[in-house]
């Protein structure tokens, strides 16, 4: 158990819908990262927050957004969903002083 | 950005044999070299890492070796067991904290009992 929690574990929805994925980092970790894992693209970085502020963006679509709240939990919002958004979405957290990242169990999103 | 290549993509070994996975990277500024293990239905788990001030690190049956000049590092698993079967990813980066990881494409290791 990494100490990072993610909900829900599974999500099934339809094209055009909007969903919210939630992540709670390990106690004391200020950085939260979101990654997408699909069969054809592998593990890809989406976005990073540090202590409530956006720090870096990767291959995140404009239909996707995220935020980190004062209690440091983070939410990833996916809207106007398409079939190709079906994937595993992972959250990771790390301490400020190094880059050891600890991953949650992921949310499996299926868009029908 | 970092270009990461990982080989082989699949590896099948007999229980008890050794397994070696190699990761090549492009950014000479990278100084943090982790390996992650992902079991079916789970998130990636950090299993070993090395920083550029050392050439090798061991933790029981697993080890990581680094060749910073040639820009590659390798994961070594000795005396493999069926529970080592998983997908392994490398993710070289700068160890500044607050830095996203660029993952290799993964190696699926199958340990045959």
């Amino acid at each position: 158990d990494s100490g990072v929690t993610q909900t829900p574990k599974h999500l099934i929805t339809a094209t055009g819908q909007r969903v919210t994925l939630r992540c709670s980092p390990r106690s004391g970790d200020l950085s939260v990262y979101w990654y997408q894992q699909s069969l054809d693209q592998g593990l890809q970085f989406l976005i990073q927050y540090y202590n409530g502020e956006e720090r870096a963006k990767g291959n995140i679509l404009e239909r996707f957004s995220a935020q980190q709240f004062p209690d440091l939990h983070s939410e990833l919002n996916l809207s106007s969903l398409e079939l190709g958004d079906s994937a595993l979405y992972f959250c990771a957290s790390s301490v400020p002083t190094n880059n050891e990242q600890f991953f949650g169990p992921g949310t499996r999103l299926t868009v029908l | 950005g970092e270009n990461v290549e990982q080989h082989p993509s699949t590896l099948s070994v007999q229980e008890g044999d050794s397994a070696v996975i190699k990761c090549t990277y492009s950014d000479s500024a990278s100084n943090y070299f982790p390996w992650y293990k992902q079991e079916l239905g789970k998130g990636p788990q950090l299993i070993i890492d090395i920083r550029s001030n050392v050439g090798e690190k061991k933790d029981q049956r697993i080890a990581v070796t680094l060749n910073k000049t040639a820009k590659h590092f390798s994961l070594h698993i000795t005396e493999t067991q069926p529970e080592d079967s998983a997908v392994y990813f490398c993710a070289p980066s700068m160890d500044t904290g607050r830095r996203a990881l660029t993952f290799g494409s993964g190696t699926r290791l199958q340990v045959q009992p």
Side-chain angles (χ1 to χ4, degrees), chain A residues 5-46:
Chain A
T5 61
Q6 288 186 249
T7 57
K9 194 170 175 63
H10 301 280
L11 204 45
I12 302 174
T13 189
T15 54
Q17 294 299 302
R18 173 190 165 94
V19 296
T20 297
L21 282 52
R22 184 188 167 105
C23 166
S24 291
R26 295 187 318 159
S27 177
D29 287 357
L30 301 180
S31 282
V32 169
Y33 308 79
W34 286 97
Y35 293 87
Q36 180 193 58
Q37 186 175 37
S38 58
L39 281 174
D40 56 344
Q41 294 290 324
L43 263 165
Q44 297 231 319
F45 167 65
L46 295 177

Side-chain angles (χ1 to χ4, degrees), chain A residues 31 33 35 37 43 45 48 50 55 90 96-101 103-105, chain B residues 32 36 38 42-44 49 51 89 93-101 103:
Chain A
S31 282
Y33 308 79
Y35 293 87
Q37 186 175 37
L43 263 165
F45 167 65
Q48 178 205 355
Y50 177 77
R55 273 302 172 101
F90 290 104
T97 51
N98 63 50
N99 219 17
E100 295 177 22
Q101 295 186 20
F103 283 73
Chain B
Y32 175 62
Y36 283 82
Q38 187 176 23
K42 297 187 177 181
D49 58 12
R51 290 171 169 86
F89 294 94
S93 77
M94 290 179 64
D95 195 24
T96 57
R98 310 188 293 255
R99 193 83 174 209
L101 296 175
F103 285 87

Side-chain angles (χ1 to χ4, degrees), chain A:
Chain A
D1 184 359
S2 67
V4 178
T5 61
Q6 288 186 249
T7 57
K9 194 170 175 63
H10 301 280
L11 204 45
I12 302 174
T13 189
T15 54
Q17 294 299 302
R18 173 190 165 94
V19 296
T20 297
L21 282 52
R22 184 188 167 105
C23 166
S24 291
R26 295 187 318 159
S27 177
D29 287 357
L30 301 180
S31 282
V32 169
Y33 308 79
W34 286 97
Y35 293 87
Q36 180 193 58
Q37 186 175 37
S38 58
L39 281 174
D40 56 344
Q41 294 290 324
L43 263 165
Q44 297 231 319
F45 167 65
L46 295 177
I47 196 165
Q48 178 205 355
Y49 278 81
Y50 177 77
N51 203 19
E53 294 189 7
E54 182 185 303
R55 273 302 172 101
K57 271 187 172 179
N59 300 317
I60 189 165
L61 300 171
E62 284 193 14
R63 301 182 284 109
F64 296 0
S65 65
Q67 52 185 330
Q68 187 179 28
F69 294 87
D71 67 352
L72 301 177
H73 91 271
S74 178
E75 293 181 356
L76 178 67
N77 302 295
L78 315 176
S79 62
S80 303
L81 285 167
E82 302 175 359
L83 296 177
D85 298 327
S86 295
L88 278 164
Y89 291 84
F90 290 104
C91 163
S93 71
S94 71
V95 297
T97 51
N98 63 50
N99 219 17
E100 295 177 22
Q101 295 186 20
F102 297 87
F103 283 73
T107 293
R108 180 176 293 280
L109 174 66
T110 302
V111 182
L112 301 175

